[in-house]
Amino acid sequence: MLPFDLIAVGLNAVDVVVRLPDRVNPGTKHLVDDLLILGGGPVGTGSAAVALLGYSAAFVARVGRNTLSEVSIDQFRRCGVSTDLMVHDEASRPAIALVEIDPATAARTVYVNLDGYGYLRPGDIPVAAIRSAKVLMVDSYDLDTTERALRAAQGSACRSLLDFEGGDTARLRTLVALGTDIVLPLECGRQLTGQTSPDAVLRALATLTAGQVVVTDGENGSWGWENGAAVHQPALPVAQKVDSTGCGDAYHAGYAVGLIEGWPLPLRMEFGTLLASRVITKVGGRTALPTRKDLPGMMAGVSEDRIIARLPATQG
Ligand SMILES: Nc1ncnc2c1ncn2[C@@H]1O[C@H](COP(=O)(O)OP(=O)(O)OP(=O)(O)O)[C@@H](O)[C@H]1O
Ligand SMILES: [Mg+2]
């Protein structure tokens, strides 16, 4: 097997997404325009976005022969994500997430069920494949698994990109020390450091790790810590914001592409921002992800040409 550009280890989820009608009448039925089933999970969507751009990506999960597993596998394959590193176990299934989108604000409310979830076991972590990959992407849903994957990458050339949302603070602080690229929502950064402003959060995060630290904050954009100072990347203007699901996941995917390509930090942040600005235009975290050939036509910020010029023409 050729080395993967990216391996993702994290929550395997199937999303059922509905954009609520402007008026909901409880106890009645509504015919709605947007109701769909698609693969989800932070690094599930992140790896799908990277694969759609033409890179080789694999998702590690424990799946069985049941409807949810089949949907999840199908959703990965459609995006070009390899399922070769998945472990088959009849009793296992993905998480199911019900996602409700508020039509007025594009904000979403998520309900997750983990019955029968296929938690990865120590032997499921593909140590050799991780060590030969360019980037490992992990989230914070199962911290034992995340720690095993991060330890597998230690001492290899594989960059490890962390996408944490929250959890046990002491444990997360330990795991931050194991990553090379720690890209967190500002809120999670606040939890880990007790600081408030992006600048103070980054300064404190940088003391926990030798890796690169970045925080994201929705429409306020993102900040990276470089040479002892916070560098701001504004969010891109979006004409119509429909659903913010997956913005963070897409940001991580763009950042990961930059790691694969060896881009400097500002360009990694900019490409993440560009992908996130697309995702918000449609319902569902994976619906508006671009392929390589979609990129030149995308409305984007000032450096779009710079980014496209740096992507290999042969991808996607
Ligand atoms: N409402 C928005 N308008 C414009 N850009 C946005 C918006 N929300 C997110 N983004 C873009 O996506 C990036 C990441 O978003 P955010 O900080 O919300 O991540 P997150 O909390 O991890 O989200 P997710 O729940 O999708 O994982 C931001 O830095 C910004 O570039
Ligand atoms: Mg996120």
Side-chain angles (χ1 to χ4, degrees):
M1 202 189 305
L2 284 173
F4 288 103
D5 291 320
L6 178 130
I7 294 180
V9 179
L11 183 75
N12 183 23
V14 171
D15 288 353
V16 180
V17 187
V18 62
R19 185 165 190 252
L20 298 175
D22 292 331
R23 274 189 58 138
V24 174
N25 298 319
T28 67
K29 289 183 186 171
H30 298 80
L31 192 61
V32 291
D33 290 331
D34 297 299
L35 200 169
L36 48 126
I37 296 182
L38 75 177
V43 302
T45 296
S47 57
V50 170
L52 279 167
L53 289 168
Y55 296 92
S56 63
F59 188 83
V60 185
R62 198 165 250 269
V63 288
R65 209 188 332 226
N66 45 65
T67 306
L68 282 180
S69 294
E70 278 164 21
V71 173
S72 155
I73 290 168
D74 174 67
Q75 289 286 303
F76 280 118
R77 289 192 178 145
R78 275 168 195 270
C79 295
V81 177
S82 167
T83 55
D84 290 354
L85 302 179
M86 289 194 177
V87 178
H88 291 269
D89 160 19
E90 287 311 297
S92 287
R93 71 159 174 84
I96 184 159
L98 179 63
V99 183
E100 280 186 4
I101 300 140
D102 180 335
T105 62
R108 80 263 189 280
T109 308
V110 186
Y111 308 87
V112 183
N113 177 275
L114 288 163
D115 288 350
Y117 184 75
Y119 287 100
L120 291 173
R121 301 186 188 160
D124 298 344
I125 303 298
V127 176
I130 288 174
R131 296 185 67 79
S132 63
K134 292 191 179 131
V135 178
L136 166 72
M137 225 183 197
V138 291
D139 65 25
S140 57
Y141 277 83
D142 173 2
L143 294 181
D144 290 339
T145 293
T146 291
E147 178 163 355
R148 285 187 194 106
L150 287 172
R151 293 209 180 276
Q154 298 303 301
S156 75
C158 178
R159 300 280 289 246
S160 40
L161 174 55
L162 275 51
D163 182 1
F164 288 174
E165 286 176 357
D168 178 71
T169 303
R171 185 85 192 274
L172 292 177
R173 285 168 62 100
T174 321
L175 297 182
V176 159
L178 296 177
T180 65
D181 292 81
I182 295 86
V183 179
L184 311 177
L186 179 59
E187 216 34 62
C188 181
R190 287 177 173 149
Q191 182 202 328
L192 295 191
T193 62
Q195 302 294 321
T196 308
S197 70
D199 200 89
V201 167
L202 285 172
R203 185 180 295 280
L205 277 177
T207 66
L208 300 177
T209 173
Q212 173 66 57
V213 291
V214 174
V215 290
T216 67
D217 186 27
E219 63 188 351
N220 298 317
S222 56
W223 290 263
W225 190 248
E226 205 167 39
N227 305 320
V231 184
H232 186 224
Q233 165 66 54
L236 289 169
V238 179
Q240 209 194 357
K241 295 181 187 179
V242 176
D243 173 16
S244 65
T245 310
C247 278
D249 314 338
Y251 185 98
H252 282 78
Y255 189 100
V257 165
L259 288 178
I260 293 167
E261 297 291 352
W263 293 346
L265 177 70
L267 210 57
R268 302 201 290 269
M269 294 170 63
E270 196 168 331
F271 194 47
T273 303
L274 181 71
L275 293 189
S277 75
R278 303 309 303 155
V279 163
I280 201 167
T281 61
K282 289 200 178 138
V283 171
R286 295 188 192 178
T287 315
L289 290 173
T291 64
R292 173 71 184 82
K293 67 178 182 326
D294 297 329
L295 284 180
M298 285 172 26
M299 295 294 292
V302 285
S303 306
E304 184 194 0
D305 292 344
R306 206 153 60 89
I307 288 170
I308 289 166
R310 292 178 88 135
L311 282 166
T314 49
Q315 298 280 6

